[in-house]
Amino acid sequence: MKKKATIRKAAPYIMVMPAVIFLIIFTFIPILYLFVLSFFKYNLISDMQFIGMDNYKNLFFVEAGFWVAARNTVIYTVSLVIFLTLFSLLLAVALEKSSLLNAFAQRLMFLPHLCATLTVAMIFQWLMNEEGMFNAVLGLFKLPGLRWLNSSDTALFSIIIIACWKDIGYYTIIMLSSLKAIPAEINEAAQLDNAGFLRRFFRITLPMVSPQLFFLLITITMGAFKVFDMVRILTEGGPGNSTDSIVYWIYKKAFTGTLNLGLASAASVVLMGVMMLMTVIYFNTINKKVHYQ
């Protein structure tokens, strides 16, 4: 009996052990190695040389390109958070009513999220070409064409448009499911009290879907800060460095040119610290405003 009781108590730990081992090997050890490597000068060829905080000093006070990449990343992240959150909520409200047309629109909107980033990027490279469809549409309205991905003034904005187009359907479906989960009796009672649409939206709908909005805020922010594939495929950080992101800047420092893995590791540690700090701030400020049922 004692043996069976011991096995019963140990069973949960045994079942969790594979996941714990996986996290230790593929997450915690690489993070620790990344942190250690940030204090060394290393280029995959010569021996590792301990240089203390020099990588961090160079990162903050010498590498101007890092701050450009950081600025671009912040602009990209803030834009995606605002546009995806706002438009996914508005589209979900517009598609909330059950109908054949709305059901078709929901499925159609979700398709871009299923497409590979490479496929989406190649399609938009053609659409945003100087002789592509976007400029053709502008020409119909007698407007001058734009150098969408080939100008430092419009390249970052173009990437933001593509990212929003790709992900808007996914977040709209999330918001739509949360809207449909709101009990109909609450809105019916508010209508009996002569509450208008806007009052019901701000007093009932928004508080009831605030957990999903908070989820969107976290996932969009973390995903946008790690943007790499869109930049790598569409512009490679150009023109100039107008579309450089932090992750793409790290990639260039680590795997091209001088192969400065130490500096790239220091930038990775800073990025990880910023993301952890933002997560803590979100949970200690915005999370308190979330209405959990």
Side-chain angles (χ1 to χ4, degrees):
M1 293 294 293
K2 289 184 179 180
K3 186 176 180 180
K4 288 184 178 179
T6 303
I7 293 174
R8 191 179 296 111
K9 290 181 180 179
Y13 300 97
I14 295 172
M15 292 179 180
V16 172
M17 192 59 65
V20 172
I21 294 173
F22 183 88
L23 285 174
I24 291 173
I25 295 175
F26 295 103
T27 302
F28 296 125
I29 291 178
I31 288 175
L32 180 61
Y33 183 71
L34 180 75
F35 181 74
V36 171
L37 193 60
S38 68
F39 296 102
F40 286 83
K41 181 180 180 182
Y42 183 48
N43 62 1
L44 294 176
I45 301 173
S46 59
D47 295 333
M48 295 175 64
Q49 179 184 352
F50 181 77
I51 57 174
M53 297 294 293
D54 285 359
N55 282 326
Y56 291 95
K57 291 177 183 177
N58 291 335
L59 187 67
F60 290 123
F61 302 109
V62 178
E63 295 287 342
F66 174 77
W67 292 107
V68 174
R71 181 201 64 193
N72 293 338
T73 304
V74 170
I75 294 173
Y76 178 86
T77 302
V78 172
S79 300
L80 247 64
V81 168
I82 293 174
F83 292 143
L84 284 177
T85 304
L86 177 63
F87 288 116
S88 63
L89 180 58
L90 293 178
L91 285 171
V93 171
L95 298 173
E96 183 182 7
K97 187 178 179 180
S98 297
S99 68
L100 186 61
L101 181 61
N102 284 352
F104 175 75
Q106 293 167 26
R107 287 156 178 77
L108 190 65
M109 288 177 56
F110 191 71
L111 284 178
H113 182 72
L114 301 176
C115 297
T117 302
L118 177 61
T119 305
V120 173
M122 292 179 66
I123 291 172
F124 272 91
Q125 276 183 330
W126 172 69
L127 292 174
M128 290 181 168
N129 189 280
E130 291 184 39
E131 298 179 356
M133 186 178 294
F134 279 23
N135 282 345
V137 173
L138 291 176
L140 293 176
F141 295 95
K142 308 299 182 182
L143 296 173
L146 298 175
R147 300 175 63 232
W148 295 91
L149 294 168
N150 299 318
S151 170
S152 57
D153 296 327
T154 57
L156 183 59
F157 180 67
S158 300
I159 293 176
I160 292 170
I161 291 175
I162 298 169
C164 287
W165 179 86
K166 187 178 188 304
D167 291 333
I168 188 68
Y170 170 71
Y171 293 114
T172 299
I173 295 299
I174 292 176
M175 294 309 305
L176 190 60
S177 63
S178 64
L179 286 175
K180 289 183 177 295
I182 298 176
E185 297 82 6
I186 298 177
N187 278 313
E188 290 172 0
Q191 287 177 339
L192 290 174
D193 290 336
N194 294 322
F197 172 78
L198 289 178
R199 189 174 183 183
R200 283 186 283 116
F201 180 77
F202 286 103
R203 295 294 183 89
I204 297 174
T205 304
L206 275 183
M208 297 291 282
V209 301
S210 56
Q212 287 73 27
L213 286 172
F214 184 66
F215 169 76
L216 261 64
L217 178 64
I218 294 290
T219 54
I220 295 171
T221 301
M222 297 301 110
F225 257 94
K226 297 182 293 182
V227 61
F228 171 80
D229 45 4
M230 281 288 187
V231 174
R232 176 70 177 85
I233 298 168
L234 289 168
T235 62
E236 295 187 351
N241 55 3
S242 61
T243 58
D244 248 350
S245 67
I246 294 178
V247 175
Y248 188 65
W249 186 89
I250 292 170
Y251 162 79
K252 290 193 296 183
K253 286 295 179 181
F255 302 110
T256 63
T258 57
L259 304 177
N260 196 337
L261 264 70
L263 184 63
S265 299
S268 300
V269 170
V270 171
L271 177 61
M272 182 173 60
V274 169
M275 293 176 68
M276 292 173 63
L277 178 63
M278 291 186 64
T279 303
V280 171
I281 292 173
Y282 280 165
F283 275 93
N284 285 302
T285 55
I286 300 176
N287 189 45
K288 294 179 180 178
K289 306 293 184 181
V290 176
H291 174 74
Y292 293 103
Q293 299 181 33

